[in-house]
Amino acid sequence: MAPFLFAALLCLSASSSAAAVPPSLPANLTILHLPVENLVGAENLDPRFSVQVGWTEERLPGTSCYMISVAGLLNMGLKDFTGRMTAETFRLHPYPEVQITVASLVPSVPLKRRFAVWGVYQAIYVMAQNNRFVRSFFYLSWEGNRVGIITYSRTDLAVALGNESTKTKTNLATTFGSAGISNRTTVLEKPGDDVAFSNPLTAQRLTLSFDFKTTPLSIPEAFLTPLTAMVYAAQFDKLLKIDPFIAYPTDFDAQIRCDFHNRRRQTRTPNLTYGWIIQALAQIPREMLRERRFSEVTVVMKVDDVPVGDAFLTKGRPVGADLDTAASSSIIRV
């Protein structure tokens, strides 16, 4: 397949100076507590972090839930993992039916971004695991105290598809670094095939090529496996050269290995960084939807037309020498 060129664009509405108000909660919520031993995804997930889920009976489109989760984790994953974020609502223009709202429950204290990243991942994971794509409330707790809430809800399509004159387009690459975000609604646009993603800090460009195989994957495997790797990569400096790793969602039968191209570590620039990995992984579910092919795939990453990395999304769990590590972690360094 010819190299796939892309740019992740954001349309940002006018910022609001008022603190976001957590959504009102239905009286008939079904509450499911997820103990910390059942939380998966990030190797450095702190045992003091936990999640509770409040389900409703209002159904949401599954594809839109998956895609807004990918887009939200891409947006947050490229920012400072140790920073804080004020309340934000994410909408994805090609899949406008569902929105995610992330908010702090501590007055005047912005939510730690790593809690939001872990929370969105846990949210879409438990939705997929239970095949329950409904309006939901995910309470984030730290040391037993509720600190934040993530809501999946139906979008007001008249608002989501509007063309407000106050919107401005910003390349997602500008989110590299530690700048905070204001209270706002972020509308994530569909990447364009004729524009390459660039990093303004290095003036480099990333292109991707996809080689689909014949072994099929389930839809949860196709989405959750790249997302598991994205959550892991989000904890690192985005300009840091990667250490190769394997990631897999612990309740599903697929894995992804992220490595240097042909397993040869680059000794000079350009390098395969965690920022590039996050960008590339986010494109895998989108490309599968576009091709209508949910199968094993090899992704070759090029920076300034130089092959720097490969991602291998395959069926099955890690085997052999990796088994001891696999028993206790969803991340294996290779």
Side-chain angles (χ1 to χ4, degrees):
M1 180 179 294
F4 171 65
L5 306 179
F6 70 96
L9 300 179
L10 298 181
C11 281
L12 305 182
S13 68
S15 297
S16 169
S17 59
V21 177
S24 58
L25 306 181
N28 60 342
L29 278 180
T30 300
I31 300 294
L32 171 66
H33 180 63
L34 301 181
V36 68
E37 58 267 23
N38 290 344
L39 298 179
V40 294
E43 187 181 46
N44 69 329
L45 192 63
D46 196 297
R48 293 170 289 181
F49 179 76
S50 60
V51 178
Q52 283 183 305
V53 184
W55 303 110
T56 74
E57 298 303 318
E58 181 183 346
R59 296 180 63 85
L60 300 175
T63 299
S64 296
C65 290
Y66 277 124
M67 288 303 292
I68 190 58
S69 301
V70 173
L73 286 173
L74 170 62
N75 178 278
M76 294 186 294
L78 289 175
K79 294 185 172 74
D80 179 12
F81 189 69
T82 61
R84 292 181 180 269
M85 57 182 291
T86 51
E88 186 162 11
T89 295
F90 294 99
R91 295 173 183 149
L92 181 61
H93 196 68
Y95 301 90
E97 300 89 353
V98 177
Q99 65 183 21
I100 299 175
T101 299
V102 180
S104 172
L105 291 179
V106 181
S108 303
V109 179
L111 184 67
K112 290 183 178 181
R113 186 171 289 111
R114 70 178 187 272
F115 295 166
V117 170
W118 292 339
V120 169
Y121 176 77
Q122 296 301 329
I124 191 60
Y125 194 104
V126 75
M127 283 183 173
Q129 192 176 29
N130 291 274
N131 193 27
R132 195 169 185 178
F133 298 95
V134 297
R135 183 180 175 223
S136 306
F137 303 86
F138 297 86
Y139 301 99
L140 314 180
S141 295
W142 181 252
E143 296 183 327
N145 300 310
R146 284 185 177 175
V147 295
I149 185 170
I150 295 172
T151 305
Y152 281 67
S153 61
R154 191 168 292 276
T155 305
D156 182 344
L157 292 182
V159 173
L161 299 178
N163 295 313
E164 298 95 322
S165 61
T166 57
K167 286 183 178 178
T168 58
K169 287 189 177 181
T170 304
N171 195 300
L172 190 57
T174 61
T175 65
F176 275 80
S178 59
I181 54 177
S182 59
N183 296 337
R184 64 166 182 247
T185 296
T186 300
V187 182
L188 300 132
E189 294 283 358
K190 180 179 180 180
D193 295 344
D194 57 346
V195 183
F197 173 81
S198 61
N199 180 349
L201 299 183
T202 61
Q204 293 175 327
R205 184 183 69 171
L206 174 69
T207 60
L208 304 176
S209 61
F210 295 82
D211 181 14
F212 285 93
K213 311 300 183 181
T214 57
T215 302
L217 299 174
S218 69
I219 291 177
E221 290 165 350
F223 279 91
L224 295 179
T225 311
L227 284 178
T228 302
M230 287 174 65
V231 172
Y232 172 72
Q235 69 183 293
F236 297 102
D237 184 324
K238 305 314 177 291
L239 297 180
L240 180 67
K241 184 190 297 185
I242 76 159
D243 285 322
F245 64 93
I246 297 171
Y248 64 97
T250 55
D251 297 289
F252 297 90
D253 190 31
Q255 62 178 296
I256 190 164
R257 178 163 64 88
C258 299
D259 206 340
F260 299 101
H261 184 62
N262 291 332
R263 306 206 70 173
R264 296 176 181 175
R265 181 181 292 268
Q266 294 292 116
T267 58
R268 58 183 178 179
T269 58
N271 289 318
L272 178 61
T273 65
Y274 287 104
W276 292 137
I277 283 287
I278 292 171
Q279 280 286 338
L281 293 170
Q283 299 304 317
I284 293 175
R286 175 187 176 271
E287 190 70 5
M288 287 186 173
L289 281 172
R290 191 171 75 160
E291 295 289 327
R292 305 308 302 173
R293 295 182 67 178
F294 296 93
S295 67
E296 294 185 339
V297 64
T298 297
V299 182
V300 177
M301 292 163 269
K302 295 181 180 180
V303 175
D304 291 342
D305 297 323
V306 177
V308 296
D310 301 316
F312 304 93
L313 174 56
T314 57
K315 188 76 172 177
R317 303 290 289 276
V319 296
D322 297 327
L323 283 178
D324 290 340
T325 305
S328 60
S329 174
S330 59
I331 299 295
I332 302 169
R333 292 189 178 93
V334 294

